[in-house]
């Protein structure tokens, strides 16, 4: 049955974790990261078209559960995502997610997907996309502080999109660092495991921080960061959860996804609400000719924004027919006569009477 007929609209394609793994092995993770970055770039060029709102967060002592909606007028998406830094102690992920894409004209869902892996992919693609615009040209060395679930995706995103070939790892948990180094073997990186964040940033043109701790942490001090470095700050994404010392912010050019959300959740929650910060869409619309002052430090204050998830879902949707990796879910109660919903739940005997 072709998708899109009356009957098929009740059957919604669902991409499970298993499907996602197969899609990645069929397409190749670096190709996916590149194509995802292209989709995100395209959508940020269409910034004005999108509904925008800070995500809706429900905080608890242990973490946060969030909903992230947006629409470009033709399609609507939302993601459910959590952030629980202590989950790993129970053998659980810090971040898990799922989400949906729907057709605005009917309101019917057209795709449901796991988004835990997709979030790691889209976060890495967004980080690397921003570094394409902001990092020193020809940068090859990246320090990667925090070597948990996001780290390998980040490393591969920066390889595919920016050309990073040397990775300097550090994590307070040596097992996490070892896991990351092992996973990155065979991908063409020169990998160095370091004894401290200070050691990891030595000689790095790009510093990625992806640590998880629900506190105002200081992963990077002002004196650790040399002039002209690009910082990709991924882990500070919640009120009271930051990674950079305020002094670094005060001497850097700062870029963010969507200011009303980042002022609440990002590194810039440490600054006044009128502190100048540039939104990502403006530099994407300006194009790549933007001159870079080699003496200035740049910071991408990443928190993750709904349009990146929209881009990721529409990208995934474009792959499902080709990959065949989905299962149809009987999700929409949609009777032949739209006003006879009750008829669907009447006992069989009564229906045929
Ligand atoms: P994770 O729990 O799998 O990994 C975090 C790692 O950080 C762990 O290995 C931990 O040992 C390490 N760590 C904690 N404190 C540290 C410190 N002081 N120095 C060095 N290492 C330290 O989490 P994850 O899924 O990799 O996510 C990392 C962070 O990124 C989280 O805070 C998460 O909320 C955030 N995140 C942001 C986005 C975004 O769009 N910006 C998307 C996904 C995740």
């Amino acid at each position: 049955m072709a998708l899109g007929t009356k009957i098929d609209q009740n059957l919604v394609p669902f991409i499970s974790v298993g499907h996602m793994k197969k899609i990645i092995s069929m397409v190749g993770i670096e190709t996916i990261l590149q194509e995802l970055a292209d989709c995100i770039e395209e959508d940020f060029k269409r910034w004005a078209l999108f509904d925008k709102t800070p995500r809706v967060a429900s905080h608890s002592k242990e973490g946060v559960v969030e909903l992230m909606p947006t629409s470009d007028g033709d399609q609507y998406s939302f993601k459910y995502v959590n952030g629980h830094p202590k989950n790993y102690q129970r053998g659980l992920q810090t971040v898990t997610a799922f989400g949906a894409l729907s057709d605005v004209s009917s309101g019917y869902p057209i795709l449901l997907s796991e988004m835990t892996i997709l979030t790691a992919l889209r976060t890495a693609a967004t980080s690397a996309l921003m570094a394409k615009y902001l990092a020193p040209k020809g940068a090859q060395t990246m320090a990667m502080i925090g070597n948990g679930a996001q780290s390998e995706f980040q490393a591969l995103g920066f390889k595919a999109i920016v050309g990073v070939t040397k990775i300097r790892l550090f994590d307070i948990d040596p097992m996490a660092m070892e896991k990351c180094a092992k996973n990155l073997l065979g991908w063409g990186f020169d990998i160095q495991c370091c004894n401290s964040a200070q050691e990891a940033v030595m000689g790095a043109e790009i510093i990625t921080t992806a640590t998880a701790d629900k506190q105002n942490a200081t992963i990077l001090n002002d004196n650790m960061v040399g002039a002209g470095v690009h910082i990709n700050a991924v882990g500070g994404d919640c009120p009271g959860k930051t990674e950079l010392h305020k002094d670094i912010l005060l001497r850097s050019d700062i870029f963010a996804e969507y200011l009303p959300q980042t002022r609440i959740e990002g590194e810039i929650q440490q600054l006044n609400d009128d502190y100048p910060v540039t939104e990502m869409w403006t530099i994407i619309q300006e194009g790549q000719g933007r001159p870079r002052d080699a003496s200035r430090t740049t910071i991408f204050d990443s928190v993750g924004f709904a349009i990146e998830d929209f881009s990721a879902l529409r990208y995934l949707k474009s792959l499902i027919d080709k990959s065949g990796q989905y299962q149809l879910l009987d999700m929409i109660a949609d009777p032949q006569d739209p006003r006879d919903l009750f008829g669907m739940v009447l006992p069989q005997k009564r229906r045929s009477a």
Side-chain angles (χ1 to χ4, degrees), residues 55 82-85 88 93-95 119-120 122-123 145-151 170-173 176 197 209-213 217-219 233-237 241 243 257 302-305 308:
R55 58 186 156 198
N82 77 300
H84 285 66
Y88 79 95
Q93 288 281 295
T94 296
V95 176
T119 293
R122 75 79 156 123
T123 304
I145 302 170
N147 303 156
Q150 308 302 316
S151 58
F170 174 69
D171 195 294
I172 45 170
D173 179 350
T209 53
T211 66
D213 205 350
T218 307
I219 306 303
V234 173
D237 59 356
K241 179 167 173 261
E243 297 180 303
E257 287 136 319
S302 159
V303 293
F305 186 51
E308 294 146 38

